[in-house]
Amino acid sequence: NAGVTQTPKFQVLKTGQSMTLQCAQDMNHNSMYWYRQDPGMGLRLIYYSASEGTTDKGEVPNGYNVSRLNKREFSLRLESAAPSQTSVYFCASRSKGAGTGELFFGEGSRLTVL
Amino acid sequence: SQQGEEDPQALSIQEGENATMNCSYKTSINNLQWYRQNSGRGLVHLILIRSNEREKHSGRLRVTLDTSKKSSSLLITASRAADTASYFCATDGTGGGNKLTFGTGTQLKVEL
């Protein structure tokens, strides 16, 4: 079982470049999430999609855009990368609605912006 | 701002000892969850406790929840070297939005 798959696993960008992180889940989950993890900061929510066709801002959305392409896929785009966006990015999904359910995480995408 | 704050930030114990981690949060919740993260890996769900529950067990894990104090604790009994990881609490708030908010985590090191 693949679960949540993120690509790429590693990426190095120059300031101002753009890129898209891809995420796909094969568990038929309704909700999908993008978090970033920085040392000492825990995980901070960037954007989430409660269901196909909807997206909402999380705690730190500036500099990012998302697309819920279909029920399986949720992508995160950096239009003009900045060094402050150097981080580890995690995609997650869960099946149930608000107030219930565990998150299933991908293995992370490690992004360095020079 | 972070919803959950874990205490301590780091914990080092000997194999066989018990490890206790604490989490405090700020707003009303539907449930609180604990996750584990091995170095360089994604997070893995450990246990979920609902707001109307006070204690829950799963194997060597014991979680308590005190909604009046807005706090939770995770106890790992008879720890093993393989328990070395970071542990995070996450809260599912009642404010809607279908999102979990994570704390900053506790780094646990279990030494042989």
Side-chain angles (χ1 to χ4, degrees):
Chain A
N1 291 336
V4 178
T5 303
Q6 294 181 232
T7 55
K9 289 184 168 49
F10 300 92
Q11 184 71 50
V12 178
L13 292 177
K14 294 181 180 178
T15 297
Q17 288 184 318
S18 62
M19 76 159 300
T20 300
L21 299 177
Q22 306 285 354
C23 176
Q25 53 90 8
D26 62 1
M27 295 171 283
N28 201 34
H29 287 169
N30 292 319
S31 303
M32 298 186 72
Y33 306 80
W34 278 105
Y35 289 89
R36 61 177 287 175
Q37 184 177 31
D38 303 292
M41 299 289 290
L43 275 78
R44 292 182 293 170
L45 182 63
I46 305 171
Y47 270 94
Y48 66 104
S49 172
S51 60
E52 186 178 357
T54 68
T55 60
D56 287 284
K57 294 178 181 179
E59 185 184 354
V60 288
N62 291 346
Y64 304 96
N65 286 302
V66 291
S67 295
R68 183 74 183 266
L69 304 171
N70 48 55
K71 192 171 185 179
R72 289 186 65 248
E73 298 171 291
F74 188 40
S75 63
L76 178 71
R77 182 161 178 84
L78 287 71
E79 290 291 352
S80 180
S84 61
Q85 294 178 304
T86 294
S87 188
V88 182
Y89 292 85
F90 287 98
C91 179
S93 69
R94 67 174 174 177
S95 62
K96 297 183 178 180
T100 61
E102 66 182 269
L103 285 177
F104 292 81
F105 282 85
E107 288 296 303
S109 297
R110 286 146 184 82
L111 175 65
T112 300
V113 182
L114 302 175
Chain B
S1 63
Q2 294 292 328
Q3 166 72 316
E5 297 292 335
E6 274 101 321
D7 170 54
Q9 290 186 339
L11 179 62
S12 182
I13 60 174
Q14 298 294 120
E15 199 171 47
E17 294 181 337
N18 295 340
T20 299
M21 289 159 267
N22 303 297
C23 170
S24 60
Y25 58 92
K26 298 176 181 177
T27 61
S28 298
I29 62 171
N30 288 309
N31 65 66
L32 184 142
Q33 304 179 26
W34 285 91
Y35 289 79
R36 165 189 169 132
Q37 183 182 34
N38 289 349
S39 181
R41 305 297 299 273
L43 281 73
V44 175
H45 180 263
L46 293 175
I47 194 165
L48 180 154
I49 185 165
R50 302 192 188 284
S51 60
N52 61 353
E53 297 175 314
R54 292 296 167 257
E55 187 171 312
K56 202 161 183 180
H57 296 254
S58 176
R60 294 186 295 114
L61 304 180
R62 172 179 170 251
V63 170
T64 62
L65 179 64
D66 186 337
T67 53
S68 67
K69 295 181 179 178
K70 291 185 169 59
S71 67
S72 173
S73 67
L74 171 67
L75 169 67
I76 304 174
T77 60
S79 63
R80 307 164 181 169
D83 294 327
T84 294
S86 292
Y87 293 82
F88 295 88
C89 68
T91 51
D92 218 338
T94 58
N98 192 21
K99 54 189 179 183
L100 264 69
T101 304
F102 284 80
T104 52
T106 293
Q107 291 187 15
L108 173 65
K109 183 176 182 180
V110 182
E111 301 185 82
L112 296 169

